[in-house]
Amino acid sequence: MTDKLRKKKKRKKKNYLLRLLVIIAIGVGLYFLITSELFDIDSVKIKNNNYYTVEQVKDKSGIKIGENIFKLKKNEIKDKLLKDPYFANVIIKRKLPATVVVEVTERTEKAAVIYNGAYIIIDSDGMVLRKASAEPKITVIQGLTVKKAKEGKPLEVEENSILADTLRMLKSMESSDLFFKKIDISNVIIKAHIYDELICEGTPENLSQNIKNGNLETALYEMYSKGIKRGIIKVGTDNYCSFDPNVE
């Protein structure tokens, strides 16, 4: 009985050692496989970019062709890209055996705030994207008292509520064909310039309402058809609009 137990224990030890050797062999094989050239990055695909080119996003990511795909530090690359204010979100995926996919969500330039002779470019949430010396081809906002403008941070102004209302008004323009060249918010009644001398006057709330219901677009279309490029459209409550051909 004792001999049988001894033989049984020996067989168990042999089986254990055999399984251990198999596991080690598989592990070594997997190591050499995943570190082989088969998994060296040979392609980086960029998706949903608009402001930056594909090559610019690749350069900013720092992903290197020839690097092993399993050594790719996705979180570090994501954090690096998110330091750029134009990126709202970044998703990085491995597509085996050798492709990396970078999906970006970009912030869009919505307005430019005049400050110290320059332009602070912001998105629809008031996030500062960059500063420019030349006037950009987006709506220019003047009349704000800027307290702090740091890239990647919300623009800080004394007239926060007016800025928020104005940005909401600009958002309401996205579904229409309207574009304001310049908005002066020096007073409670803002002046939104279609042309230099064709101006809409009203509160941001009233302008937004008349943009959403199509009243302002209809009024402007009638003026365009008549060749009118000068005057003031006064926008009030209850869908009220009036036109004054005289510009101060």
Side-chain angles (χ1 to χ4, degrees), residues 207-231:
L207 286 168
S208 294
Q209 182 61 37
N210 280 273
I211 290 170
K212 289 177 181 177
N213 62 27
N215 282 354
L216 190 55
E217 191 173 358
T218 300
L220 287 169
Y221 179 77
E222 291 178 0
M223 292 178 187
Y224 292 154
S225 63
K226 295 176 182 178
I228 298 173
K229 295 185 178 181
R230 176 186 172 87

Side-chain angles (χ1 to χ4, degrees), residues 192-248:
H193 293 247
I194 302 293
Y195 298 122
D196 289 334
E197 294 188 332
L198 181 58
I199 306 166
C200 298
E201 286 188 357
T203 64
E205 295 89 344
N206 291 339
L207 286 168
S208 294
Q209 182 61 37
N210 280 273
I211 290 170
K212 289 177 181 177
N213 62 27
N215 282 354
L216 190 55
E217 191 173 358
T218 300
L220 287 169
Y221 179 77
E222 291 178 0
M223 292 178 187
Y224 292 154
S225 63
K226 295 176 182 178
I228 298 173
K229 295 185 178 181
R230 176 186 172 87
I232 298 175
I233 304 170
K234 296 184 179 181
V235 180
T237 57
D238 298 324
N239 302 326
Y240 171 81
C241 288
S242 66
F243 178 69
D244 183 351
N246 299 311
V247 179
E248 296 179 0

Side-chain angles (χ1 to χ4, degrees), residues 161-210:
S161 60
I162 297 176
L163 175 60
D165 289 340
T166 302
L167 290 174
R168 279 193 288 270
M169 181 184 72
L170 291 178
K171 281 184 180 180
S172 67
M173 290 168 51
E174 293 176 358
S175 58
S176 70
D177 292 329
L178 292 177
F179 173 75
F180 292 134
K181 181 179 179 181
K182 181 177 69 176
I183 298 176
D184 185 346
I185 58 177
S186 303
N187 301 302
V188 176
I189 301 300
I190 69 171
K191 296 181 178 180
H193 293 247
I194 302 293
Y195 298 122
D196 289 334
E197 294 188 332
L198 181 58
I199 306 166
C200 298
E201 286 188 357
T203 64
E205 295 89 344
N206 291 339
L207 286 168
S208 294
Q209 182 61 37
N210 280 273

Side-chain angles (χ1 to χ4, degrees), residues 75-94:
N75 288 336
E76 287 186 11
I77 295 169
K78 178 178 179 177
D79 291 342
K80 182 179 180 181
L81 287 172
L82 287 177
K83 288 180 180 178
D84 189 305
Y86 276 89
F87 295 125
N89 192 29
V90 176
I91 298 174
I92 300 171
K93 300 177 181 178
R94 296 184 182 93

Side-chain angles (χ1 to χ4, degrees), residues 18-139:
L18 181 61
R19 286 196 296 269
L20 181 61
L21 289 173
V22 170
I23 292 171
I24 292 172
I26 292 172
V28 171
L30 285 174
Y31 172 78
F32 282 109
L33 176 63
I34 65 176
T35 57
S36 68
E37 292 182 358
L38 176 65
F39 294 104
D40 287 349
I41 298 169
D42 62 16
S43 175
V44 179
K45 294 184 178 180
I46 309 298
K47 293 185 176 181
N48 305 327
N49 60 301
N50 184 40
Y51 179 76
Y52 288 119
T53 66
V54 168
E55 291 304 317
Q56 285 175 323
V57 178
K58 286 181 181 179
D59 289 342
K60 287 178 177 292
S61 73
I63 299 172
K64 297 178 181 178
I65 298 296
E67 179 183 3
N68 185 275
I69 198 167
F70 292 107
K71 292 182 179 179
L72 190 72
K73 297 179 179 178
K74 296 196 296 181
N75 288 336
E76 287 186 11
I77 295 169
K78 178 178 179 177
D79 291 342
K80 182 179 180 181
L81 287 172
L82 287 177
K83 288 180 180 178
D84 189 305
Y86 276 89
F87 295 125
N89 192 29
V90 176
I91 298 174
I92 300 171
K93 300 177 181 178
R94 296 184 182 93
K95 189 175 181 181
L96 300 180
T99 299
V100 177
V101 179
V102 180
E103 296 181 10
V104 298
T105 302
E106 290 184 341
R107 295 186 174 93
T108 303
E109 295 181 353
K110 184 58 65 176
V113 177
I114 297 176
Y115 177 60
N116 284 346
Y119 299 90
I120 302 169
I121 313 301
I122 60 175
D123 72 350
S124 57
D125 295 316
M127 182 73 72
V128 177
L129 302 180
R130 65 184 176 95
K131 297 176 183 177
S133 56
E135 183 176 335
K137 295 180 179 179
I138 52 179
T139 301

